[in-house]
Amino acid sequence: MVYAENWSQPSILELARSGNFQALNYWIDSLLRPEGIYARVEQAQAGCVQILVEFQREFAPDTTLLGSTLREGLVKFICHQLWRLNSPAVEGVRIHARLAGDADILWKQSVRIVTPANRQRRRYRSLPAVDWVKFKTYRSLLLVGSALASFILGCWVSYHEALTLRLVSPVSGYQQTAVMSGPPPKRADTVQAALEVVPVVQQKQVANPYDPTVTLMFGGNVNLSDALGASAANDHQWAFANMDEYRQADVAMVNLENSLTRSTLGSGQKQLNFKAAPESVKVLTAGGVDIVNLANSRAMDYEEPGLVETMNTLDNSGIQHLGAGRDIKEARRPDIIEVKGQRIAYLGYYDAELHVADQGKAGTNPRRNNRVAEDIRALRGQVDWIIVNYHWGVELADYPGDWQIDLARFTIDQGADLVVGHHPQVLQGAELYKGRPIVYSLGNFIFGGNARRDYDTAVLKVSLKDRNMKVEFLPVEVKKFQPKVVKGAAADRILKRVEQISSIFDRPMGSSVVLDALVQPGATLKTPNSLLPGSAKSGTYQPGRSSGGTSGESNLQSPGQPKPTLILPTLPAAPQQPDNSSFFPNGTGPAIESNPPPNQNLPPRIYPTQPQNPSREPEPFTKEPFIKEPFISPPSPSQGAVPSPQSNLPPRAVSFEVALKQQPTSAIVPGTSSKRSKHRIALPPIAGSIG
């Protein structure tokens, strides 16, 4: 007979789920300690767990890290861990943060955690009170009289039957979130641009209205004249017939390099002028194009009459346009499009002084650095994303000039989220600068004005979800002016070419990257249900999705210039493990000893000196990884019933209600080391072994 007493001993996870605060402390602290963050968990009082987190002092100089980026990720990470625990004893968490060795609290935040376990507990806890009310009501009705009692009793029973059906009916994760969060604050229907107030265009015609991800598509040069008409045989559906990706995008854009006019007044300064009949706009509408750039070298081929007719034709077809106008105000006007709650600003500039728009003079929007800066800064706090288009460079050049690189990076410095270039007619490289993508040229897309009918190119697909931007190249082969996204060897050849010409940059952009949104002073939040500045200090949170920022007590100031976004923790689903397995892999404990805290109110645990082995300085920026994991979706609402004690993730999407209280706090005392301000930290992912 084998004696196996320890087989029946509960795991760390089981103890934590049962309400053992020492096991909960051991769990949370072991996950944060390797990253230089110490955690101490206090016993739950009235279902609220108190957690004190202490940062190493090497993070003190970086106020943005402690006050916004790291705070948001840390609160999200801790809440997700407690949500996964699914303990009926944990109904909320109160987090205190400070520097190790400093008694002053940096910030506090309270979060209510709603899980299937505590939701069901609260419902059953309320049943005795409901039964007592029913008993008293029935007793009163018996004293009133049979007729009146029967009438009132029938109404009462019908009401409670309907209420019971509502309580037991399944509620999806999205419905639960909507009930707890309420309608998001309404945003203004206009935006104040640099020169004027611009209306916001609501994009409601989307392929997948229930998908929270917003997809944007960018193509290169499009010319609907000459040889394209002969190949298409006047079939307006033909050109985009194989480009379903464009029709499925929420907002699709191209650079239109011909006038849509019947005018014969060609520009005398050019030997070759491009135009197409106004009916050719049906090629764009059939292809799913929503917006075109007119800040280019062909917008004024037929002078002011041709430009005005082109803009009128686009307006009548429901296609937005930018970068040219009847005067400088219209030429400089941005297009603001809101789709699925994401507000996107488009700007377009032509890098030439030819046919420049002015007061009372039609033309294109000239690229002047001071105007670019003014336009971006005027929009930055009112929109979620800013996209800048440049018509620039040398035709058929494989690489951009140094002045283009400087201009693109200057644009990112002013607050742009994406720079897209066109005109060279061939693909050029792409880079990442301060966590923002720059695509120098997308080449020709559908260019009927060129004798070359077959060529390789690419389109840029941008996906926006919460505070994340996913950027990827889709390889395209063009056969007789008809483009098609390809796979296999042809795709590898095109993407390898993009990779090759992008290798000249310090941080070349790969074929697919996922980036976080920049944290900018005064910027609006990226999540549709997130709070806007100045609104009530409460909100919702879904596991696996960015919270879009939180507010609470803090004495930290936003820096004057935006900094590159740090990598926040990802929340992948952990694999299943045997029922009695330990929470830690191979039965091991945390990397550094972590004793359970004494049973007393938080704080103190203060380290008067810095840790003996502080985190090392990161490698030079050219060696840091930029590619991140793909988007993480919340758990599917249809994945079964309430989880067992050994399950890893509850089946329903769950919400956290944030309730914040204002408390006076003290200022941070910056550290003395000059090498610590660029410390990079990533919160740990969920452990691979779950009991």
Side-chain angles (χ1 to χ4, degrees):
M1 181 176 68
V2 178
Y3 183 65
E5 179 183 3
N6 58 351
W7 284 7
S8 62
Q9 294 180 355
S11 66
I12 293 294
L13 183 61
E14 292 171 338
L15 289 174
R17 183 177 289 122
S18 66
N20 187 311
F21 75 97
Q22 294 181 337
L24 189 59
N25 177 86
Y26 187 71
W27 175 24
I28 297 294
D29 185 61
S30 64
L31 295 175
L32 298 179
R33 184 176 286 265
E35 307 300 330
I37 303 175
Y38 309 107
R40 184 159 64 93
V41 180
E42 183 68 30
Q43 189 170 8
Q45 298 179 359
C48 184
V49 176
Q50 298 187 76
I51 301 179
L52 171 68
V53 293
E54 294 182 326
F55 304 104
Q56 293 180 359
R57 296 205 51 92
E58 61 182 349
F59 304 127
D62 197 336
T63 57
T64 301
L65 176 67
L66 294 179
S68 58
T69 307
L70 183 55
R71 173 182 179 177
E72 177 185 346
L74 182 62
V75 171
K76 174 182 176 181
F77 179 77
I78 293 176
C79 288
H80 187 80
Q81 296 294 334
L82 295 176
W83 175 77
R84 293 176 62 252
L85 190 64
N86 195 30
S87 172
V90 178
E91 298 185 1
V93 61
R94 184 178 296 110
I95 303 174
H96 303 245
R98 70 183 180 191
L99 291 174
D102 193 342
D104 294 330
I105 299 298
L106 300 178
W107 49 263
K108 304 176 184 178
Q109 187 150 324
S110 299
V111 182
R112 179 182 173 221
I113 301 176
V114 180
T115 64
N118 58 38
R119 186 189 299 114
Q120 188 173 11
R121 177 186 177 186
R122 283 195 299 270
R123 195 177 78 181
Y124 283 113
R125 190 168 51 192
S126 63
L127 289 179
V130 174
D131 292 338
W132 175 247
V133 172
K134 288 182 179 180
F135 169 74
K136 294 180 67 177
T137 304
Y138 295 153
R139 185 180 61 182
S140 301
L141 291 175
L142 292 176
L143 301 177
V144 174
S146 59
L148 181 59
S150 299
F151 173 79
I152 299 177
L153 184 61
C155 296
W156 179 271
V157 172
S158 300
Y159 168 78
H160 274 277
E161 286 179 351
L163 181 62
T164 303
L165 291 175
R166 180 181 178 184
L167 290 176
V168 300
S169 61
V171 180
S172 68
Y174 296 104
Q175 293 172 333
Q176 178 71 20
T177 301
V179 170
M180 300 188 64
S181 64
K186 181 175 176 56
R187 306 172 79 172
D189 295 331
T190 58
V191 167
Q192 177 63 59
L195 299 182
E196 59 181 333
V197 176
V198 179
V200 177
V201 177
Q202 298 292 334
Q203 182 81 343
K204 298 181 180 179
Q205 298 296 327
V206 295
N208 299 305
Y210 298 105
D211 183 0
T213 302
V214 176
T215 56
L216 312 179
M217 199 72 69
F218 298 87
N221 305 323
V222 169
N223 186 299
L224 305 179
S225 64
D226 301 337
L228 177 63
S231 298
N234 296 321
D235 181 2
H236 297 138
Q237 309 286 334
W238 180 85
F240 283 89
N242 298 324
M243 286 297 296
D244 290 337
E245 293 78 6
Y246 248 70
R247 283 181 288 274
Q248 294 171 359
D250 295 323
V251 183
M253 183 177 189
V254 297
N255 174 53
L256 181 61
E257 289 215 359
N258 65 265
S259 298
L260 297 171
T261 180
R262 291 186 174 87
S263 173
T264 58
L265 185 63
S267 174
Q269 300 182 17
K270 295 183 178 180
Q271 295 181 351
L272 183 62
N273 299 316
F274 290 127
K275 74 172 183 177
E279 293 79 14
S280 299
V281 74
K282 296 179 182 179
V283 175
L284 303 179
T285 56
V289 176
D290 301 289
I291 182 172
V292 299
N293 175 72
L294 297 179
N296 56 51
S297 55
R298 296 297 174 181
M300 295 295 290
D301 273 7
Y302 287 83
E303 301 185 356
E304 181 174 351
L307 174 62
V308 172
E309 188 176 1
T310 299
M311 293 190 298
N312 290 337
T313 301
L314 294 170
D315 291 335
N316 294 334
S317 301
I319 297 178
Q320 304 294 315
H321 53 85
L322 72 153
R326 298 168 181 85
D327 54 25
I328 185 58
K329 180 182 289 187
E330 185 175 11
R332 194 173 166 183
R333 180 182 301 157
D335 276 355
I336 313 295
I337 299 177
E338 184 168 325
V339 52
K340 299 179 183 177
Q342 302 272 11
R343 186 164 290 187
I344 308 157
Y346 290 84
L347 294 166
Y349 303 92
Y350 175 33
D351 192 74
E353 293 298 320
L354 184 65
H355 297 301
V356 170
D358 206 340
Q359 297 292 338
K361 177 184 176 183
T364 57
N365 186 24
R367 190 276 301 170
R368 296 169 185 170
N369 288 11
N370 60 330
R371 291 186 180 180
V372 172
E374 291 173 2
D375 292 341
I376 295 175
R377 292 173 183 174
L379 299 171
R380 183 65 274 175
Q382 305 175 74
V383 300
D384 300 319
W385 309 92
I386 297 179
I387 298 169
V388 178
N389 291 264
Y390 284 121
H391 197 78
W392 58 7
V394 179
E395 290 187 354
L396 304 181
D398 290 332
Y399 302 99
D402 291 342
W403 68 270
Q404 292 176 256
I405 299 174
D406 293 339
L407 173 58
R409 295 179 178 180
F410 168 82
T411 306
I412 298 298
D413 289 336
Q414 304 312 305
D417 295 293
L418 171 65
V419 174
V420 178
H422 28 76
H423 176 65
Q425 299 192 22
V426 293
L427 288 173
Q428 291 184 345
E431 68 167 330
L432 293 169
Y433 174 72
K434 292 187 176 180
R436 301 292 86 193
I438 301 172
V439 180
Y440 286 95
S441 174
L442 288 172
N444 284 342
F445 187 29
I446 302 174
F447 203 83
N450 198 323
R452 192 162 59 106
R453 298 166 176 256
D454 302 335
Y455 46 89
D456 293 340
T457 186
V459 296
L460 185 70
K461 181 180 179 181
V462 177
S463 303
L464 307 175
K465 185 177 182 183
D466 300 332
R467 296 180 63 84
N468 289 335
M469 170 189 284
K470 181 179 181 181
V471 188
E472 55 187 322
F473 284 109
L474 302 183
V476 172
E477 273 189 345
V478 180
K479 301 292 186 181
K480 296 181 179 179
F481 301 117
Q482 192 179 50
K484 180 181 180 180
V485 176
V486 294
K487 299 180 180 179
D492 293 340
R493 180 185 72 250
I494 297 172
L495 295 179
K496 186 175 181 180
R497 172 61 179 167
V498 175
E499 179 182 354
Q500 177 185 0
I501 57 182
S502 300
S503 62
I504 65 170
F505 302 109
D506 294 332
R507 293 179 175 181
M509 191 183 85
S511 59
S512 178
V513 294
V514 178
L515 308 166
D516 289 332
L518 293 173
V519 179
Q520 307 232 8
T524 58
L525 303 180
K526 309 299 183 204
T527 310
N529 287 335
S530 298
L531 296 176
L532 296 175
S535 58
K537 294 182 178 180
S538 63
T540 60
Y541 176 84
Q542 295 185 38
R545 299 179 62 183
S546 298
S547 62
T550 55
S551 58
E553 309 97 342
S554 177
N555 59 352
L556 301 177
Q557 302 293 330
S558 298
Q561 295 293 335
K563 296 183 179 180
T565 304
L566 301 176
I567 300 176
L568 297 178
T570 56
L571 302 172
Q576 296 285 347
Q577 294 292 334
D579 291 346
N580 292 323
S581 62
S582 172
F583 177 78
F584 300 101
N586 302 323
T588 60
I592 307 176
E593 93 293 338
S594 174
N595 297 322
N599 187 10
Q600 59 185 10
N601 294 330
L602 295 175
R605 175 193 286 174
I606 297 179
Y607 294 86
T609 58
Q610 298 181 11
Q612 296 297 324
N613 296 316
S615 301
R616 296 186 296 108
E617 189 77 16
E619 294 294 328
F621 70 92
T622 54
K623 297 182 180 180
E624 293 179 7
F626 259 76
I627 298 179
K628 299 173 57 181
E629 296 298 325
F631 290 131
I632 301 171
S633 300
S636 173
S638 60
Q639 294 178 355
V642 177
S644 65
Q646 285 77 27
S647 63
N648 292 306
L649 291 176
R652 294 183 180 177
V654 69
S655 301
F656 298 108
E657 290 187 351
V658 181
L660 306 175
K661 301 179 180 179
Q662 294 184 349
Q663 297 287 344
T665 53
S666 304
I668 296 177
V669 179
T672 57
S673 174
S674 61
K675 297 182 179 180
R676 296 168 183 167
S677 61
K678 296 183 179 179
H679 178 80
R680 185 185 186 96
I681 182 168
L683 291 180
I686 293 174
S689 299
I690 306 296

